[in-house]
Amino acid sequence: MLLQENICRIIEPYSTVETAHIASLMQLPQPKIVEKLSQMILDKKFHGILDAGAGCLIVYEDSEADATYGQALETLGNMGRVVDALYDKAQKLGVTSHSQAAVKA
C-alpha cells in the first residue's frame, strides 16, 4: 500500500513519465515498478497505459462520466414504446402493410 501511495505521488504531476525515472526515484528495480503500475492500472487506481516499447507510463486525466450514453439509451427505449403503441393502434384499426398494398394496387 505504501508503494502504491508513493507511486501515485510521483506520477501525479506527469501526463507521461518514464518507468526508469520512477524506479530511480524510488530506488527499486524497474521490473517491480512496471509490475506494480500494471496492477494499479488493472485495479483502476488511476487511468493510464504502459508503453513497454517506449518504457513509459501514459497517465490519463480523470474524466467525468458522460451522461449522453444513458440518455441515448433512454431515448431509444422511449422511441421503441412509441412505435409499439402506434403498431397496436394500427392493428386495432385494421391497417396492415398488406391492406395498404391492396389500396395502392
Side-chain angles (χ1 to χ4, degrees):
M1 189 65 158
L2 187 59
L3 176 62
Q4 179 176 308
E5 290 173 8
N6 288 337
I7 290 174
C8 284
R9 271 188 239 131
I10 290 171
I11 67 173
E12 185 177 16
Y14 299 103
S15 61
T16 303
V17 61
E18 291 182 357
T19 54
H21 178 66
I22 298 169
S24 69
L25 289 175
M26 297 192 67
Q27 299 176 349
L28 290 170
Q30 188 173 353
K32 183 171 182 160
I33 296 297
V34 171
E35 180 183 345
K36 186 62 179 178
L37 288 169
S38 297
Q39 180 185 5
M40 291 170 67
I41 291 170
L42 292 173
D43 291 343
K44 299 187 186 222
K45 300 297 179 187
F46 66 89
H47 302 287
I49 59 169
L50 282 168
D51 185 343
C56 65
L57 169 71
I58 301 169
V59 182
Y60 300 133
E61 291 184 25
D62 290 333
S63 60
E64 295 181 20
D66 187 8
T68 305
Y69 180 74
Q71 292 170 346
L73 288 178
E74 182 181 347
T75 301
L76 289 172
N78 290 338
M79 288 177 64
R81 285 190 286 280
V82 168
V83 169
D84 290 342
L86 290 172
Y87 179 79
D88 290 341
K89 284 188 178 193
Q91 290 298 319
K92 288 178 185 174
L93 293 173
V95 177
T96 63
S97 60
H98 296 293
S99 63
Q100 288 176 351
V103 170
K104 289 181 180 178

